[in-house]
Amino acid sequence: MVNQVQKADGSWQSCKSDSSGASNSGESSKESSRCSTPVLDADRSDRLRHKMRRRIESGDRWFSLEFFPPRTASGAVNLISRQVDPDRTVAIKPLKVSLSESTWSLSSRFDRMGSGGPLFIDITWHPAGDPGSDKETSSMMIASTAVNYCGLESVLHLTCCNQTKDKITGHLGKAKHLGLKNIMALRGDPVGADWEEEEGGFNYAIDLVKHIRSEFDDYFDISASLVGYPTGHPEAESYEDDLRHLKEKVDAGADFVITQLFFRADTFLKFVDDCRAIGITCPILPGIFPIQGYQSLRQLVKLSKLEVPEEITQVIEPIKDNDAAIRNYGIQQAVEMCRVLLDSGKVPGLHFYTLNREVATMEVLRQLGMWIEDPRRPLPWAVSAHPKRKVEDVRPIFWASRPKSYIYRTQDWDEFPNGRWGNSSSPAFGELNDYYLFYLKSKMSKDALLQMWGEELVNEESVYEVFTCYITAQPNRRGHKVMCLPWNDDPLAPETNLLKDELEKVNRRGVLTINSQPNINGKPSTDPIVGWGPPGGYVFQKAYLEFFTSSENVNALLKVLKKYEPRVNYHIVNVQGRNLTNAPDMQPNAVTWGIFPGREIVQPTVADPVSFMYWKDEAFALWIEQWAKLYEDESPSRMIIKYMHDNYFLVNLVDNDFPLENCLWQVIDDMFELLDAPPERLDDGAASEYNVFKQPL
Amino acid sequence: MVNQVQKADGSWQSCKSDSSGASNSGESSKESSRCSTPVLDADRSDRLRHKMRRRIESGDRWFSLEFFPPRTASGAVNLISRQVDPDRTVAIKPLKVSLSESTWSLSSRFDRMGSGGPLFIDITWHPAGDPGSDKETSSMMIASTAVNYCGLESVLHLTCCNQTKDKITGHLGKAKHLGLKNIMALRGDPVGADWEEEEGGFNYAIDLVKHIRSEFDDYFDISASLVGYPTGHPEAESYEDDLRHLKEKVDAGADFVITQLFFRADTFLKFVDDCRAIGITCPILPGIFPIQGYQSLRQLVKLSKLEVPEEITQVIEPIKDNDAAIRNYGIQQAVEMCRVLLDSGKVPGLHFYTLNREVATMEVLRQLGMWIEDPRRPLPWAVSAHPKRKVEDVRPIFWASRPKSYIYRTQDWDEFPNGRWGNSSSPAFGELNDYYLFYLKSKMSKDALLQMWGEELVNEESVYEVFTCYITAQPNRRGHKVMCLPWNDDPLAPETNLLKDELEKVNRRGVLTINSQPNINGKPSTDPIVGWGPPGGYVFQKAYLEFFTSSENVNALLKVLKKYEPRVNYHIVNVQGRNLTNAPDMQPNAVTWGIFPGREIVQPTVADPVSFMYWKDEAFALWIEQWAKLYEDESPSRMIIKYMHDNYFLVNLVDNDFPLENCLWQVIDDMFELLDAPPERLDDGAASEYNVFKQPL
């Protein structure tokens, strides 16, 4: 296709765009400014209405997914994530508007559903469930998790019936602060049968649409729904009235329409024609409900006052006790209806009422060829969909295993690094606090953690063994696998597995690794293990190794490192802040980067010596908060962890010579060799230069 | 050495710095902000006084060089540059404060003298030579050339005697606008013997120092000089008075002192001691004058009223007619004196009065081991020392052969790209105008240009031959070498020579190349041909080719390029702005980048589709302004150039697969093959899709 590029003199010239059909429209280019344009994903910087417009222009159909928040904390745990131990679900009193633990456990569901490529998801508003609160089950927090940690474009439902203006404004302000950009404006069900219009209050969704536009200008994209029933709203005086109300909502500022569910394609297509006839021009998305069971269908029909067409009841009634048969029918019925809708040319995207279930919706989308799992990552780390973070494409490597912590500690930043990390002499990471350290910890129960990390530690070697078992994925001497460490929530990444043998060897000897990556010299960006970014590119890495180790080891290491100048950059620090680095001018060192067709260089990960000082406070605190506190005060186990916290150093090493074989293992080997040598070798020469380490610690 | 890094809580921690001794001081880190820190050269972002302080702290001695502006235009040409043809020196009426042609010809001298690594150069102020004007020989313009085009830290002298405050303020404002950051504040010589102090006027240098500080706050670094005679100013009532005046100037805001010349180390060392004794703590630089000839010495002594010590006159008088002997003696005398000065530990740097001659000063510095030519480039292009450009590290590749044009057209930008070019939808390049196109043209005479480019062109092939001779460095059929083209001021770069055979082949057939680079997959940054940046790094390039060619060729090329999607990015445009590109989202494509130890990625050159539309206006205009206008109106030669200007396309190609063999030659070969095929092949299929090119042009 041929796009337009505007020249300085105001004239337009045509230019052929890439196959994705993305165009640099005049409008979006106004938003962009030098050095702040996302490189890898034009979608990331656009608002939802523009994404829709681009897809419509290119003929690229999309789908979207609706979820409801779990009603109770334990319900959330049972329903949303199989990995959460209910014992760990505790009341949480956040220090500020923030994200609680159980909402994070949603990530896995969202990640799975997000991997198929929905244009957006939406989260329903449950007035009875304290939907705007900081509770882990609130609509607000679930939507925030989707945006901030799962990187999903999200629409938050909001109902206005029986709400004060102040309360609504408060919800909207909070949503904006959390990075939510889209609101589905709803009236909501009046409470009780004696509901009456309130003078000057919010009686209809249009009041909410107007309020959003008057209080928040153009910030939010707004969806109108529900009253936009394809068959006419049950309470509407007439289908024509219903259409007129919808037109008014769109005229008041709604950007797109999602319909309630329906069972016949014709119903929806007539509705679209009728909308167009009265001048509704915005996108209208059909709400698709794959029938998933007899009871759920009956309940839904009862609630929505919809009639199920006879051709469907005739099929369902005979098989109503056969759940599998009904599900299969539901999938087949939805696929057929969607095909008719898509073939009509009037449907730019499909909206699915998932009921928080994955299987049916995914199967419908697969059969339609619209569920396209793309295992490639746009960046080596999961991007956030918070609008403040839309240009973010650089992070320090230190938080690689704790991305939620990184997002949490940087949530108050006004701008995020793009293209280059820069010399951040004052990066202003959020302060550590107990809330943060405690609630960001493992989802395991205390008993499970003790089984993994040792009911009773006898010496430092007991700790080495825990690290070694984590690396090797072998059970410890009591037969329990070590699935996580205070610094690593998850088992080893496939990439780290590339280093497994070397990691095992050094952990056994007290080089307690918490972060590492191999060097990579130009692998294809589609590589299944280390690839990221668009196809046709090449990714690179410098070898990185980060570990805790004793001061004796550090003394030997410093001597060894002299041989590796300037090939190896190091940064060595203890909990008191004793600190040695050879970083030139305290500048960041890019350790991951990628080269792509037609793009600027992307360098998503750096080892930044200034940020490292903030990370080390967190890394050391995790020893105490997550490990030592598992044991009784004054117990030997607790004293051992406390001793290591007080006396060990945190070390990071970068091998700058990425085209050569990684030399960091040789560095560690040389250190061990020096340690194994007669003692006089360790005390001569270089060691004395580093007398900062010879003072009592 | 151990440096300090400040934490957010205000505490300081020690960290080992790199061997360059550069520290990230609290003060300089305040100036830096995220994403705007220069990566490769800490010196680039610092002001002169901070550079001096850093050098003093690290014990790293420097030197500086003083030049005077040539008095007349033809004098400038004869004296400064051997390559300038006097015929071309014409009166210039700039449209705005800008840089005229003849000053650019200074570049070669400055480049040679700059290559030895002076900390700064200074340009004297010649009140009789209209020093603040836009004339090519003015002090102001010479200093501006040094800063903007040669990247030299420069100090502009300024005298205040007999000047109004408004005039002085005007000079200073202009200097600031041009990017000059340092002023040597001088009284200047009173005009005539009847000079009297003027009430409230500028009578002494201290008045100027105070004026600079009151009108321009801390913007300028200020040097005091001349009156700081090591032996006491001839006009001073006493040596003590002279010292007291100097102290007052430093107290008023002068940042460092440069002395007048002297012939005995003791003279200077006593002077430093006396300065320190009365509390002058700033750097004091000795003015070194290597004796270069008998007459010049006599004249200088007469002007400065200095006495030449007897031990020197005793040597010189007997050899006064032997220039070479005197020069050798001058070098030997200067070297010995400088050694004493440096050994004293009281001299952080040496200031040389060069009298615009290179040889003696360079030889003295070489013998002292202070002239360290470093052929490595910090970036692939010459950096500018304008303070606005201190963070600039990305430029479009299109102006690679016309860097002065690029600097000129971007001089009004408020900020310069750093780390990433970004999606510059409105880069606001300065407009083309006749002044600009005409005066930025070749320094050759019209006759010389006609000899190279053809007294008479008979067809387009005559033009192909000019391009081919330029590429091959072979004489044309009349025996003249083609040393430049309208798009290339200089002979082929060594790097382009790597492509010579292929370039010759395609130019012969009408692919008229004006810019190209080979692909590079990780060569050492110290590579003598393609290397740049600090040692220990690796540099990379994507192959790039830019050329004019006929619309027939473009039709075939477009068909061929379909085979090379997405490997090859192209941008094809004609003078009317017909424009085809496959650049994704009109984003820039990084075509040169480097990976260095302990640094972020540097990507100094991009192919930016938006900037290309500005470049093409310039590239097409050069056909007319620099080539067609050499011929009579309506002459066949002029019509041929005009035809090519009107009908040829400008094409750029980037091969994204930098690790593989450059495919761009294959692309051109395929194009020729298609053109050589029977005509039906060209007209079928793809060609018809690009019907924009089939309309009459």
Side-chain angles (χ1 to χ4, degrees):
Chain A
M1 70 181 279
V2 172
N3 290 325
Q4 301 283 315
V5 53
Q6 191 168 21
K7 286 197 62 192
D9 61 5
S11 68
W12 289 85
Q13 304 186 316
S14 62
C15 58
K16 191 161 160 282
S17 89
D18 68 338
S19 57
S20 79
S23 79
N24 190 33
S25 72
E27 194 164 37
S28 68
S29 68
K30 264 182 226 150
E31 287 171 27
S32 73
S33 67
R34 180 171 303 291
C35 290
S36 63
T37 307
V39 166
L40 290 174
D41 182 6
D43 261 7
R44 225 178 129 192
S45 68
D46 266 1
R47 46 194 312 168
L48 183 51
R49 71 173 84 149
H50 296 155
K51 292 182 193 178
M52 287 186 181
R53 197 179 56 195
R54 285 223 312 246
R55 297 280 190 112
I56 291 169
E57 283 168 0
S58 67
D60 197 7
R61 268 76 169 265
W62 72 80
F63 67 91
S64 48
L65 305 171
E66 182 165 311
F67 298 92
F68 57 79
R71 309 246 171 173
T72 65
S74 64
V77 170
N78 288 329
L79 180 70
I80 307 299
S81 171
R82 286 162 205 116
Q83 290 158 356
V84 172
D85 180 335
D87 293 344
R88 284 280 309 111
T89 309
V90 293
I92 287 169
K93 180 164 154 281
L95 296 184
K96 53 174 98 179
V97 175
S98 60
L99 301 133
S100 65
E101 178 196 329
S102 294
T103 54
W104 284 321
S105 60
L106 265 172
S107 307
S108 50
R109 165 72 49 101
F110 283 158
D111 287 347
R112 280 194 302 279
M113 293 302 276
S115 68
L119 186 67
F120 64 90
I121 68 161
D122 59 325
I123 306 294
T124 61
W125 186 259
H126 278 223
D130 205 356
S133 74
D134 295 337
K135 282 203 305 192
E136 63 265 44
T137 56
S138 78
S139 301
M140 188 75 81
M141 287 301 111
I142 299 280
S144 172
T145 297
V147 165
N148 285 285
Y149 299 143
C150 307
L152 295 169
E153 179 83 47
S154 302
V155 177
L156 177 65
H157 291 216
L158 187 59
T159 61
C160 61
C161 193
N162 295 327
Q163 298 280 317
T164 65
K165 279 198 179 176
D166 281 355
K167 188 104 180 177
I168 292 287
T169 305
H171 289 325
L172 290 165
K174 185 170 181 174
K176 181 177 175 182
H177 177 73
L178 288 169
L180 304 175
K181 299 172 292 184
N182 314 293
I183 297 291
M184 183 172 292
L186 303 169
R187 186 181 76 174
D189 295 319
V191 178
D194 53 351
W195 173 78
E196 284 178 23
E197 282 195 29
E198 196 184 332
E199 195 72 39
F202 290 117
N203 295 305
Y204 297 100
I206 189 173
D207 302 325
L208 179 54
V209 174
K210 287 178 175 168
H211 181 73
I212 294 172
R213 283 286 171 256
S214 84
E215 293 295 310
F216 293 86
D217 196 25
D218 204 37
Y219 175 78
F220 288 106
D221 279 10
I222 301 174
S223 166
S225 182
L226 287 187
V227 184
Y229 258 96
T231 51
H233 190 278
E235 289 175 36
E237 290 137 42
S238 74
Y239 181 63
E240 281 68 32
D241 274 2
D242 201 19
L243 282 177
R244 191 168 43 74
H245 290 312
L246 184 63
K247 174 81 161 54
E248 284 165 7
K249 280 189 279 191
V250 172
D251 290 346
D255 298 293
F256 60 99
V257 169
I258 301 179
T259 72
Q260 190 48 284
L261 61 92
F262 55 90
F263 294 105
R264 284 173 175 157
D266 285 350
T267 313
F268 178 81
L269 295 175
K270 174 180 184 302
F271 170 72
V272 172
D273 290 341
D274 295 338
C275 287
R276 299 305 182 217
I278 62 166
I280 297 173
T281 58
C282 70
I284 301 171
L285 311 181
I288 309 297
F289 175 76
I291 297 166
Q292 302 192 48
Y294 186 75
Q295 288 308 324
S296 64
L297 178 65
R298 273 177 61 103
Q299 197 176 3
L300 182 105
V301 165
K302 189 177 146 204
L303 276 170
S304 64
K305 300 172 191 166
L306 268 177
E307 272 180 44
V308 179
E310 207 174 307
E311 67 266 23
I312 293 180
T313 50
Q314 279 176 355
V315 177
I316 281 183
E317 286 295 337
I319 55 169
K320 67 181 181 185
D321 298 323
N322 184 342
D323 289 351
I326 287 196
R327 271 201 304 275
N328 285 340
Y329 170 74
I331 289 166
Q332 176 211 327
Q333 188 271 338
V335 168
E336 282 168 12
M337 189 174 76
C338 289
R339 287 212 173 108
V340 175
L341 293 172
L342 295 170
D343 289 347
S344 75
K346 295 172 183 168
V347 175
L350 303 170
H351 185 72
F352 283 83
Y353 294 106
T354 70
L355 302 188
N356 287 17
R357 292 182 196 159
E358 297 170 46
V359 180
T361 298
M362 278 165 65
E363 185 54 32
V364 171
L365 286 164
R366 279 204 185 96
Q367 291 193 23
L368 292 169
M370 293 174 74
W371 182 270
I372 299 161
E373 278 199 53
D374 185 352
R376 281 182 296 109
R377 308 166 287 174
L379 288 173
W381 35 264
V383 300
S384 168
H386 194 296
K388 283 204 305 183
R389 289 180 178 270
K390 70 183 180 184
V391 301
E392 180 185 29
D393 67 6
V394 193
R395 290 184 185 174
I397 192 172
F398 317 122
W399 281 270
S401 299
R402 290 175 63 81
K404 289 161 190 164
S405 161
Y406 182 75
I407 292 169
Y408 181 93
R409 293 189 73 179
T410 59
Q411 63 186 352
D412 292 330
W413 288 9
D414 290 329
E415 50 186 67
F416 289 87
N418 167 252
R420 173 170 290 179
W421 177 259
N423 201 333
S424 53
S425 53
S426 179
F429 285 94
E431 277 185 41
L432 289 174
N433 56 56
D434 289 349
Y435 161 72
Y436 159 77
L437 284 167
F438 184 68
Y439 288 104
L440 280 178
K441 72 205 251 185
S442 167
K443 294 171 197 75
M444 302 276 188
S445 69
K446 182 175 171 182
D447 283 350
L449 293 174
L450 284 169
Q451 282 175 350
M452 293 194 299
W453 300 346
E455 309 272 355
E456 206 178 318
L457 305 171
V458 293
N459 52 26
E460 294 166 59
E461 282 71 26
S462 315
V463 175
Y464 301 175
E465 197 190 316
V466 174
F467 276 83
T468 307
C469 288
Y470 173 75
I471 295 292
T472 57
Q474 294 299 311
N476 62 21
R477 60 185 64 190
R478 299 209 181 165
H480 299 286
K481 281 204 179 182
V482 180
M483 306 297 291
C484 63
L485 287 176
W487 305 270
N488 301 81
D489 270 357
D490 301 308
L492 276 199
E495 189 194 29
T496 316
N497 257 313
L498 300 175
L499 307 170
K500 206 162 154 182
D501 291 347
E502 289 91 346
L503 287 168
E504 175 184 354
K505 189 174 133 196
V506 304
N507 275 278
R508 282 199 192 286
R509 288 203 59 179
V511 169
L512 306 175
T513 57
I514 61 170
N515 196 354
S516 58
Q517 68 176 24
N519 60 317
I520 294 171
N521 185 20
K523 286 236 187 180
S525 59
T526 47
D527 183 279
I529 295 178
V530 299
W532 54 271
Y538 296 91
V539 298
F540 294 79
Q541 287 180 183
K542 293 179 179 176
Y544 179 79
L545 192 61
E546 183 181 335
F547 54 87
F548 291 102
T549 204
S550 67
S551 58
E552 294 74 26
N553 287 357
V554 163
N555 268 332
L557 180 63
L558 279 166
K559 194 169 176 190
V560 162
L561 282 169
K562 296 187 88 176
K563 277 200 317 185
Y564 291 90
E565 290 269 9
R567 177 169 176 176
V568 174
N569 278 112
Y570 59 85
H571 198 164
I572 301 172
V573 60
N574 72 358
V575 72
Q576 289 90 3
R578 286 198 187 138
N579 179 23
L580 273 184
T581 177
N582 65 345
D585 301 327
M586 296 300 281
Q587 282 189 56
N589 191 348
V591 292
T592 307
W593 64 99
I595 318 297
F596 302 97
R599 313 280 179 165
E600 296 197 74
I601 313 296
V602 191
Q603 55 145 43
T605 323
V606 297
D608 171 43
V610 180
S611 304
F612 190 64
M613 299 308 289
Y614 293 85
W615 162 247
K616 70 99 180 152
D617 291 338
E618 181 171 337
F620 276 104
L622 292 169
W623 280 108
I624 302 299
E625 294 299 324
Q626 297 208 15
W627 199 336
K629 288 187 175 173
L630 295 175
Y631 308 104
E632 296 288 314
D633 249 5
E634 309 293 327
S635 65
S637 294
R638 186 158 183 166
M639 298 303 285
I640 286 166
I641 299 296
K642 180 76 166 51
Y643 174 84
M644 294 176 74
H645 167 270
D646 292 348
N647 292 281
Y648 273 44
F649 280 78
L650 181 63
V651 178
N652 78 47
L653 303 176
V654 177
D655 177 5
N656 288 298
D657 255 336
F658 62 95
L660 312 180
E661 199 187 344
N662 177 357
C663 75
L664 299 182
W665 305 116
Q666 190 59 50
V667 170
I668 305 294
D669 278 352
D670 290 358
M671 177 188 86
F672 288 137
E673 196 186 312
L674 190 60
L675 288 163
D676 294 340
E680 60 270 23
R681 276 193 57 193
L682 187 54
D683 283 337
D684 70 4
S688 61
E689 289 177 28
Y690 299 100
N691 58 2
V692 62
F693 294 104
K694 304 197 124 190
Q695 297 160 15
L697 296 174
Chain B
M1 68 180 281
V2 172
N3 290 327
Q4 301 281 313
V5 54
Q6 192 168 21
K7 286 196 63 190
D9 61 5
S11 68
W12 289 85
Q13 304 185 317
S14 61
C15 60
K16 191 161 160 281
S17 89
D18 69 337
S19 57
S20 80
S23 78
N24 189 32
S25 73
E27 196 165 37
S28 67
S29 68
K30 264 180 228 153
E31 288 171 27
S32 74
S33 66
R34 179 171 306 288
C35 290
S36 65
T37 307
V39 166
L40 289 171
D41 182 6
D43 260 8
R44 224 177 130 194
S45 67
D46 266 1
R47 47 196 306 170
L48 183 52
R49 72 174 82 148
H50 295 156
K51 292 183 191 177
M52 288 186 179
R53 196 178 56 194
R54 285 223 311 247
R55 296 281 189 110
I56 291 169
E57 282 167 0
S58 66
D60 197 8
R61 267 75 169 263
W62 72 80
F63 67 91
S64 47
L65 304 172
E66 183 164 312
F67 298 91
F68 57 80
R71 309 247 169 172
T72 64
S74 64
V77 171
N78 290 328
L79 181 70
I80 306 300
S81 172
R82 285 161 208 118
Q83 291 159 354
V84 172
D85 179 335
D87 293 345
R88 285 279 311 111
T89 309
V90 293
I92 287 169
K93 180 164 154 281
L95 295 185
K96 52 175 100 178
V97 175
S98 60
L99 300 135
S100 65
E101 177 196 329
S102 294
T103 55
W104 286 322
S105 62
L106 263 172
S107 308
S108 52
R109 166 72 48 101
F110 282 157
D111 287 347
R112 281 195 301 279
M113 293 302 276
S115 69
L119 186 66
F120 63 92
I121 69 159
D122 59 326
I123 307 294
T124 62
W125 186 258
H126 278 225
D130 204 357
S133 75
D134 295 337
K135 283 202 305 191
E136 63 264 46
T137 56
S138 79
S139 302
M140 188 73 81
M141 287 299 113
I142 300 279
S144 173
T145 297
V147 165
N148 285 286
Y149 300 142
C150 308
L152 295 169
E153 179 84 46
S154 302
V155 178
L156 177 65
H157 291 218
L158 187 59
T159 62
C160 61
C161 195
N162 295 328
Q163 297 281 316
T164 65
K165 278 197 181 178
D166 281 354
K167 188 105 182 172
I168 291 288
T169 305
H171 289 325
L172 290 165
K174 185 170 180 174
K176 182 177 174 182
H177 176 72
L178 288 169
L180 304 174
K181 298 172 292 182
N182 314 292
I183 298 292
M184 184 170 294
L186 304 169
R187 186 183 74 174
D189 295 321
V191 178
D194 54 351
W195 174 78
E196 282 179 26
E197 281 195 30
E198 194 185 333
E199 196 72 37
F202 290 117
N203 296 304
Y204 297 101
I206 188 173
D207 302 325
L208 179 53
V209 174
K210 287 177 176 168
H211 180 74
I212 295 172
R213 283 284 172 257
S214 84
E215 293 294 311
F216 293 85
D217 197 26
D218 203 37
Y219 174 79
F220 288 105
D221 279 12
I222 302 174
S223 166
S225 181
L226 288 187
V227 185
Y229 258 96
T231 51
H233 190 279
E235 288 174 37
E237 290 138 42
S238 74
Y239 180 64
E240 282 69 32
D241 274 0
D242 201 20
L243 283 176
R244 194 167 41 76
H245 289 313
L246 184 62
K247 174 80 158 57
E248 285 165 3
K249 279 189 281 192
V250 172
D251 290 346
D255 298 295
F256 60 99
V257 170
I258 300 178
T259 73
Q260 191 46 283
L261 62 90
F262 54 89
F263 295 105
R264 284 173 175 156
D266 285 351
T267 312
F268 177 82
L269 295 173
K270 175 180 182 301
F271 169 73
V272 172
D273 290 342
D274 294 338
C275 287
R276 299 306 182 215
I278 62 167
I280 296 171
T281 58
C282 70
I284 301 171
L285 311 181
I288 309 298
F289 175 77
I291 297 166
Q292 302 191 49
Y294 186 75
Q295 288 309 325
S296 64
L297 179 64
R298 272 179 62 104
Q299 196 175 5
L300 183 105
V301 165
K302 190 178 145 205
L303 276 170
S304 65
K305 300 172 190 167
L306 268 176
E307 273 180 42
V308 179
E310 209 174 304
E311 66 268 24
I312 290 178
T313 49
Q314 278 177 358
V315 178
I316 279 181
E317 285 295 337
I319 57 171
K320 67 182 179 187
D321 297 322
N322 184 341
D323 289 351
I326 288 195
R327 271 201 303 277
N328 284 340
Y329 170 74
I331 289 165
Q332 173 211 329
Q333 188 271 338
V335 168
E336 283 168 10
M337 191 174 75
C338 289
R339 286 212 173 107
V340 176
L341 292 172
L342 294 170
D343 289 348
S344 74
K346 295 171 184 168
V347 174
L350 304 170
H351 185 73
F352 283 83
Y353 295 106
T354 69
L355 303 186
N356 287 17
R357 294 180 195 161
E358 298 170 45
V359 180
T361 299
M362 277 166 67
E363 184 54 31
V364 171
L365 284 165
R366 280 206 184 93
Q367 291 193 23
L368 292 169
M370 293 173 74
W371 182 269
I372 298 161
E373 278 198 53
D374 186 350
R376 280 181 296 110
R377 309 167 285 176
L379 288 173
W381 36 264
V383 299
S384 167
H386 194 296
K388 282 204 304 184
R389 288 179 178 269
K390 71 183 179 184
V391 300
E392 180 186 29
D393 67 6
V394 193
R395 290 185 185 174
I397 192 171
F398 317 122
W399 283 267
S401 299
R402 291 174 63 81
K404 289 160 190 162
S405 161
Y406 182 76
I407 292 169
Y408 181 93
R409 294 190 72 181
T410 59
Q411 63 186 350
D412 292 329
W413 288 8
D414 290 329
E415 51 187 66
F416 289 88
N418 167 253
R420 171 170 291 181
W421 178 259
N423 200 332
S424 54
S425 54
S426 178
F429 285 93
E431 279 183 40
L432 289 173
N433 55 58
D434 288 349
Y435 161 72
Y436 159 78
L437 283 168
F438 184 70
Y439 287 106
L440 279 177
K441 71 204 249 183
S442 168
K443 296 171 197 76
M444 302 277 189
S445 68
K446 183 176 170 181
D447 283 349
L449 293 174
L450 284 170
Q451 283 176 350
M452 293 195 298
W453 300 345
E455 310 273 355
E456 205 177 320
L457 305 171
V458 292
N459 51 26
E460 293 166 60
E461 281 69 28
S462 315
V463 175
Y464 302 175
E465 195 190 318
V466 174
F467 276 83
T468 307
C469 289
Y470 172 76
I471 295 293
T472 58
Q474 295 298 311
N476 60 22
R477 59 186 63 188
R478 301 214 177 161
H480 299 286
K481 282 204 178 184
V482 180
M483 305 298 290
C484 62
L485 287 176
W487 306 270
N488 301 83
D489 271 355
D490 301 309
L492 277 198
E495 190 194 26
T496 315
N497 257 312
L498 301 175
L499 307 171
K500 207 163 153 180
D501 292 346
E502 288 91 348
L503 287 170
E504 177 185 350
K505 189 174 132 196
V506 304
N507 276 279
R508 282 197 191 287
R509 290 203 57 177
V511 170
L512 306 175
T513 58
I514 61 170
N515 196 355
S516 59
Q517 68 176 22
N519 61 317
I520 294 171
N521 184 19
K523 285 236 185 181
S525 59
T526 48
D527 183 278
I529 294 177
V530 299
W532 54 272
Y538 296 91
V539 298
F540 294 79
Q541 287 180 184
K542 292 178 180 176
Y544 179 79
L545 192 60
E546 183 181 335
F547 53 88
F548 291 102
T549 205
S550 68
S551 57
E552 294 74 27
N553 287 357
V554 163
N555 268 332
L557 180 63
L558 279 166
K559 193 168 178 192
V560 162
L561 281 169
K562 297 186 90 179
K563 279 200 316 186
Y564 291 90
E565 290 269 6
R567 177 168 176 177
V568 174
N569 279 111
Y570 60 85
H571 198 164
I572 300 173
V573 61
N574 72 357
V575 73
Q576 289 90 1
R578 287 199 188 136
N579 180 24
L580 273 184
T581 177
N582 65 345
D585 300 328
M586 296 300 281
Q587 282 189 55
N589 191 349
V591 293
T592 307
W593 64 99
I595 317 297
F596 303 98
R599 311 281 179 163
E600 296 195 74
I601 313 298
V602 191
Q603 56 147 44
T605 322
V606 296
D608 172 43
V610 180
S611 304
F612 189 65
M613 297 307 289
Y614 293 86
W615 163 247
K616 71 100 178 145
D617 290 339
E618 180 170 339
F620 277 103
L622 292 168
W623 279 108
I624 304 297
E625 294 298 325
Q626 298 207 15
W627 200 333
K629 289 190 175 172
L630 294 176
Y631 308 104
E632 295 290 314
D633 249 4
E634 310 292 326
S635 65
S637 295
R638 188 158 182 167
M639 297 304 285
I640 287 166
I641 300 295
K642 179 78 166 49
Y643 174 83
M644 295 177 74
H645 166 270
D646 292 348
N647 292 281
Y648 274 43
F649 280 78
L650 182 62
V651 178
N652 79 47
L653 303 176
V654 177
D655 177 5
N656 289 297
D657 255 335
F658 61 95
L660 311 182
E661 200 188 340
N662 178 357
C663 74
L664 299 182
W665 306 118
Q666 191 59 51
V667 170
I668 305 293
D669 279 351
D670 289 359
M671 178 189 84
F672 287 137
E673 195 185 312
L674 191 59
L675 288 163
D676 294 341
E680 59 270 28
R681 275 193 59 193
L682 186 54
D683 282 335
D684 69 4
S688 61
E689 291 178 27
Y690 301 102
N691 58 1
V692 62
F693 294 104
K694 304 199 123 190
Q695 298 160 14
L697 296 172

